[in-house]
Amino acid sequence: MAITPPEQKIWWNQPLDKVEGTWVIVALVWCLILFLWMPWWHLYGKQNLSNESYRTSPDRFEKKVQEMVAKYKVGEEGKTGIPVVRPPAGSDVYFLGRLWEWYPILELEKDKTYKFHISSLDYQHGLSIQPVNINLQILPGYETVVKFTPDQAGNYGVVCNEFCGAGHHQMLGKITVK
Ligand code: CUA
């Protein structure tokens, strides 16, 4: 029940008030602007990543990562001996998240475009590459593909920004760009 119900209870037959009509038009126009804004912003706003997603399985994906590691490994780092891999410029890069690491460490060339394939072997992780605008949900069973062109030399941090358990805060990776 409305606070001030229409006297005749036939609101649909009463003429539209000017103020109400104006607001309906304002709302409609704004609605259309936002609707068009979404595709426009996607193309020109550099806000959203254009990524693709494919079905995979943890086993299949891990195999691809290990193949790349075996082919292009140039060293190891840290106590656990996590491999440092230098894939050829412009190639496909397979990168995985699991409890609790980003694997492997990558060495890339500046201003070259790489095609990243990313997946998880267990739970949901959040891939965030700092300080660039890459921020993706990484799910087991899905291979996320995104192009990455590092245009600055130095170390990029890889963090997990989706809570994934006790070691979430230690789930750090590294990408070195030369
Ligand atoms: Cu992986 Cu949080």
Side-chain angles (χ1 to χ4, degrees):
M1 185 99 157
I3 296 171
T4 54
E7 275 165 35
Q8 312 287 320
K9 298 201 174 180
I10 46 156
W11 53 269
W12 57 89
N13 270 346
Q14 289 177 7
L16 188 67
D17 188 81
K18 232 190 201 166
V19 175
E20 193 180 4
T22 309
W23 277 113
V24 168
I25 290 166
V26 166
L28 182 68
V29 169
W30 185 238
C31 185
L32 289 173
I33 288 171
L34 291 182
F35 180 73
L36 295 170
W37 195 303
M38 284 189 283
W40 178 80
W41 198 240
H42 180 78
L43 294 173
Y44 299 105
K46 292 185 179 165
Q47 191 81 3
N48 300 323
L49 284 175
S50 292
N51 58 292
E52 295 161 17
S53 201
Y54 301 94
R55 283 273 192 184
T56 184
S57 73
D59 288 347
R60 224 186 316 156
F61 191 79
E62 188 182 12
K63 221 178 128 209
K64 283 185 183 176
V65 176
Q66 295 303 0
E67 275 171 19
M68 181 194 74
V69 169
K71 232 170 163 180
Y72 303 119
K73 185 173 159 179
V74 292
E76 279 178 8
E77 223 178 276
K79 270 181 273 171
T80 50
I82 179 163
V84 179
V85 175
R86 193 186 299 150
S91 65
D92 288 73
V93 173
Y94 292 87
F95 195 58
L96 67 82
R98 64 182 158 202
L99 302 175
W100 285 282
E101 64 175 2
W102 293 108
Y103 179 98
I105 291 173
L106 296 168
E107 273 188 22
L108 307 179
E109 267 179 62
K110 190 172 160 283
D111 295 324
K112 293 276 163 30
T113 299
Y114 295 84
K115 201 169 175 188
F116 267 64
H117 303 248
I118 313 128
S119 189
S120 163
L121 298 192
D122 35 51
Y123 300 108
Q124 171 169 295
H125 299 285
L127 175 82
S128 174
I129 301 180
Q130 306 286 341
V132 293
N133 178 27
I134 290 184
N135 194 347
L136 298 160
Q137 302 275 337
I138 302 303
L139 298 156
Y142 290 93
E143 180 172 331
T144 301
V145 181
V146 70
K147 283 185 179 148
F148 177 37
T149 312
D151 58 2
Q152 264 180 57
N155 285 332
Y156 289 64
V158 185
V159 300
C160 179
N161 58 15
E162 192 71 59
F163 184 72
C164 55
H168 162 69
H169 62 290
Q170 290 169 327
M171 192 168 163
L172 305 168
K174 195 170 84 175
I175 297 172
T176 305
V177 176
K178 286 175 185 166

